[in-house]
Amino acid sequence: MDNQNERFPIVDENGNVTGSISRGQAHDGTKILHPVVHLHLFNSQGMLYLQERPQWKDIQPGKWDTATGGHIDYGESVEDALVREVLEELGITTFTPEYLGKYIFEGKRERELVYVFQTVYDGEVLPAPDELAGGRFFSPDEILQKIGKDYFTPNFEDEYMKFFGNR
């Protein structure tokens, strides 16, 4: 289970830190804005790696989601959080992220300022069994066929269409 006492920054819509909040508070329906990082990991054939969220997650258990997605810890930079999350979730130590932008996502129980990155990577991906239920590469056609069928997280679907829907 996720540590409900973990501390995240509270941010304004520009990403300026205005305070801190616990994970439990961030996901309790109050929708206090807090930052997260996402990495879309493509291989050189244009396929996108997605993670399967474990059943014990407090948000969207069992759904397929962005290769790496994680909260920024209080006092941590966006770049450091990205490197940490990619290592923790996928076992990848060397990659070149490209910043795509940021946006606000509002779900049923949370509100996040999402920093979005992509990379092309053909090395070994080692999904952490204590973080993920698994992962694999999907073709763009396979992703588009499954959108809207309760297979992916709503956040992933929105983000994929926003950044990659015209590929």
Side-chain angles (χ1 to χ4, degrees), residues 25-76:
Q25 292 169 312
H27 295 167
D28 69 2
T30 55
K31 298 189 179 185
I32 297 172
L33 188 63
H34 59 284
V36 298
V37 292
H38 285 180
L39 178 72
H40 294 274
L41 187 126
F42 290 91
N43 64 21
S44 59
Q45 287 78 45
M47 296 180 73
L48 181 61
Y49 188 90
L50 299 178
Q51 64 161 270
E52 184 178 6
R53 294 177 62 79
Q55 290 296 330
W56 54 262
K57 285 300 231 180
D58 58 347
I59 302 288
Q60 298 292 326
K63 301 275 180 80
W64 288 85
D65 202 0
T66 310
T68 296
H71 290 89
I72 297 172
D73 290 337
Y74 187 72
E76 186 176 40

Side-chain angles (χ1 to χ4, degrees), residues 44-165:
S44 59
Q45 287 78 45
M47 296 180 73
L48 181 61
Y49 188 90
L50 299 178
Q51 64 161 270
E52 184 178 6
R53 294 177 62 79
Q55 290 296 330
W56 54 262
K57 285 300 231 180
D58 58 347
I59 302 288
Q60 298 292 326
K63 301 275 180 80
W64 288 85
D65 202 0
T66 310
T68 296
H71 290 89
I72 297 172
D73 290 337
Y74 187 72
E76 186 176 40
S77 72
V78 172
E79 295 78 12
D80 287 347
L82 182 67
V83 169
R84 176 182 53 77
E85 287 289 342
V86 171
L87 177 60
E88 286 176 4
E89 294 184 354
L90 304 179
I92 296 172
T93 58
T94 305
F95 66 102
T96 304
E98 176 189 348
Y99 177 67
L100 299 177
K102 66 183 176 193
Y103 68 95
I104 293 175
F105 175 79
E106 187 167 335
K108 292 179 182 175
R109 295 173 28 200
E110 64 183 338
R111 191 165 170 251
E112 297 175 330
L113 180 62
V114 184
Y115 291 87
V116 183
F117 297 84
Q118 72 176 355
T119 196
V120 175
Y121 179 81
D122 286 318
E124 189 172 16
V125 180
L126 302 168
D130 60 333
E131 293 266 343
L132 312 176
R136 69 177 183 88
F137 282 95
F138 287 75
S139 72
D141 287 343
E142 185 179 8
I143 291 170
L144 292 174
Q145 289 171 3
K146 293 181 184 301
I147 283 181
K149 297 186 176 159
D150 204 33
Y151 188 82
F152 302 120
T153 65
N155 191 190
F156 169 75
E157 289 185 358
D158 292 347
E159 191 170 298
Y160 183 83
M161 295 309 293
K162 182 179 297 185
F163 289 98
F164 309 111

